[in-house]
Amino acid sequence: TAVASTLPFLEEVLGEPLGKLVDVVRKDPEAKSARTKRSRGLAFEDMYERLLQFNQEHGHVNVAQKYSQDGQLGSWVANIRSKRKQMAKKGEEFELDVPLEDVGDNDDGGEDDDDAAIFGIDGGGEGGEGGGGESGKKRKRVGGRQRLTRDRIHKLDTIGFQWVVANPNTKSWDERFEDLKEYQQMHGTTRVPRSSGTLGEWVHMQRRLYNKKDPNFLARRAPLLEDIGFEWHPRKHALVSWDDNFNRLMEFGRINRHYNVQSPFPEGYLGDHEGEQDAELVEAQRFHKWVRRIHAEYRAYASGKMSRMLNDARVMQLREIGFQFSM
């Protein structure tokens, strides 16, 4: 037939099934490619309406990229953030909403169609989406369809859209400093165990910068830390008073219902307990040694010998809380 003679060679090779499919597409003016459907499905206004609906339901517009209830919306939000980031690197605040121009019948849009699918910006002209006007030509936007225009950016700004979303595990120095002050208020110390998470790692990094004598750190950050009594060398322990240790012992007994304070390290461990160990473990080991010393000092006290640690008042304190001395 005449149609068959004009078909590309590949279609002749593939045979009758592909030929029928071509005929169907040619005869049906409403038939759309998957790419066209995808582009229309992500039209900016459509996605913006879905974002408004999300805002009504959740009270914010920070849609997770892998939002389980609407993955398409999550991807769209992530992609327009990425687009704005690339614009900022070029010094662009917004993109112009450029006019449409005619393109040839054989121009399938190339990468522009993919951009439209990602960023949801329509490419249809007066002759219908992807269709032609009187000239029979398709129309597209000059320079692609990734258009974050002033109007669209303003729309997103007015609903509180966040163009930059920080990693939940990433905080500024000032935010970490406030976290440290809160920790100090709760625990009475700036010795945050490194094992406690991101704040502990941050505290460890401040000590490293101090020991390296980083000039910027010493000029700007170190004075702020020193103002709250930050300990640069926590392993050079200050003496702990009897009252502080006794209060800790009472708290230990209240929680555990006994005063048998164990070492945090395994039996027979020969490591440097007060060298490179976690500050919290070091404190626990010191407390264990203090309790163990009470028992040793009591044996001297009970035999009438001089004790540098115990006296009648302190022995009475310990007995009143139910502390049992070992002989």
Side-chain angles (χ1 to χ4, degrees):
T1 64
V3 172
S5 63
T6 61
L7 290 175
F9 174 74
L10 181 60
E11 293 176 8
E12 293 181 356
V13 173
L14 293 177
E16 185 177 353
L18 185 56
K20 289 182 178 180
L21 178 61
V22 171
D23 288 338
V24 169
V25 172
R26 286 174 175 170
K27 290 176 182 179
D28 184 4
E30 300 298 323
K32 304 293 181 182
S33 68
R35 179 185 295 176
T36 303
K37 290 180 180 179
R38 185 158 53 98
S39 175
R40 174 180 289 177
L42 289 179
F44 182 91
E45 295 302 329
D46 293 341
M47 299 307 296
Y48 181 75
E49 289 300 319
R50 282 156 71 172
L51 187 60
L52 289 179
Q53 184 176 353
F54 179 93
N55 190 21
Q56 290 178 351
E57 294 175 1
H58 301 275
H60 64 85
V61 291
N62 295 326
V63 187
Q65 184 169 358
K66 296 183 179 180
Y67 179 45
S68 60
Q69 298 181 33
D70 192 344
Q72 196 176 48
L73 179 61
S75 296
W76 181 79
V77 166
N79 283 323
I80 60 175
R81 281 196 183 114
S82 177
K83 172 62 180 176
R84 188 75 186 278
K85 183 178 179 181
Q86 295 302 317
M87 290 167 57
K89 288 181 179 179
K90 299 175 184 177
E92 300 173 356
E93 294 184 11
F94 59 89
E95 291 183 306
L96 296 177
D97 191 8
V98 296
L100 300 173
E101 70 173 10
D102 293 334
V103 297
D105 291 337
N106 294 328
D107 188 345
D108 64 357
E111 294 181 0
D112 294 337
D113 288 331
D114 291 332
D115 294 340
I118 294 174
F119 291 96
I121 300 174
D122 298 333
E126 294 178 357
E129 180 168 339
E134 293 180 0
S135 64
K137 294 181 179 181
K138 294 189 292 183
R139 294 167 68 79
K140 72 171 185 176
R141 293 190 183 277
V142 178
R145 300 174 179 178
Q146 302 180 32
R147 295 291 158 192
L148 278 177
T149 64
R150 185 198 296 271
D151 178 63
R152 287 172 173 172
I153 291 172
H154 177 70
K155 276 187 169 184
L156 292 166
D157 286 340
T158 55
I159 61 172
F161 188 85
Q162 291 182 274
W163 295 101
V164 178
V165 179
N167 186 313
N169 292 325
T170 303
K171 289 187 177 183
S172 68
W173 193 94
D174 290 335
E175 288 173 321
R176 287 294 183 204
F177 184 59
E178 290 301 318
D179 290 344
L180 179 61
K181 289 195 290 186
E182 288 181 16
Y183 183 93
Q184 183 185 39
Q185 201 168 29
M186 291 178 61
H187 301 277
T189 181
T190 58
R191 296 181 186 180
V192 184
R194 190 174 178 183
S195 60
S196 66
T198 52
L199 180 59
E201 286 292 342
W202 181 84
V203 166
H204 175 72
M205 180 56 67
Q206 307 315 298
R207 293 194 179 106
R208 286 189 61 187
L209 291 171
Y210 181 84
N211 291 331
K212 288 171 62 178
K213 302 188 185 308
D214 181 278
N216 291 329
F217 177 79
L218 293 176
R220 299 176 55 208
R221 308 298 195 193
L224 295 175
L225 290 165
E226 288 172 350
D227 285 344
I228 65 169
F230 188 83
E231 299 176 71
W232 300 110
H233 304 288
R235 296 181 183 91
K236 295 181 179 179
H237 300 288
L239 292 176
V240 181
S241 69
W242 169 270
D243 289 338
D244 287 342
N245 273 329
F246 182 76
N247 289 333
R248 181 170 179 175
L249 183 63
M250 285 197 301
E251 181 67 10
F252 180 92
R254 185 186 67 79
I255 295 172
N256 298 283
R257 305 296 183 186
H258 66 78
Y259 299 102
N260 184 22
V261 180
Q262 299 294 317
S263 169
F265 300 107
E267 186 176 355
Y269 179 72
L270 299 177
D272 182 5
H273 297 324
E274 301 195 5
E276 295 301 319
Q277 295 297 332
D278 186 286
E280 191 174 61
L281 293 179
V282 172
E283 287 298 320
Q285 177 69 2
R286 293 183 72 208
F287 181 57
H288 161 71
K289 289 181 177 180
W290 180 82
V291 174
R292 192 172 62 181
R293 185 183 169 199
I294 287 177
H295 293 291
E297 290 286 333
Y298 182 76
R299 287 191 286 272
Y301 170 85
S303 64
K305 296 179 181 178
M306 177 67 70
S307 170
R308 292 181 298 174
M309 181 182 191
L310 296 179
N311 55 33
D312 292 343
R314 289 179 176 178
V315 170
M316 183 63 68
Q317 269 187 310
L318 292 165
R319 285 175 176 165
E320 285 176 351
I321 66 172
F323 186 88
Q324 295 183 346
F325 298 97
S326 65
M327 297 296 292

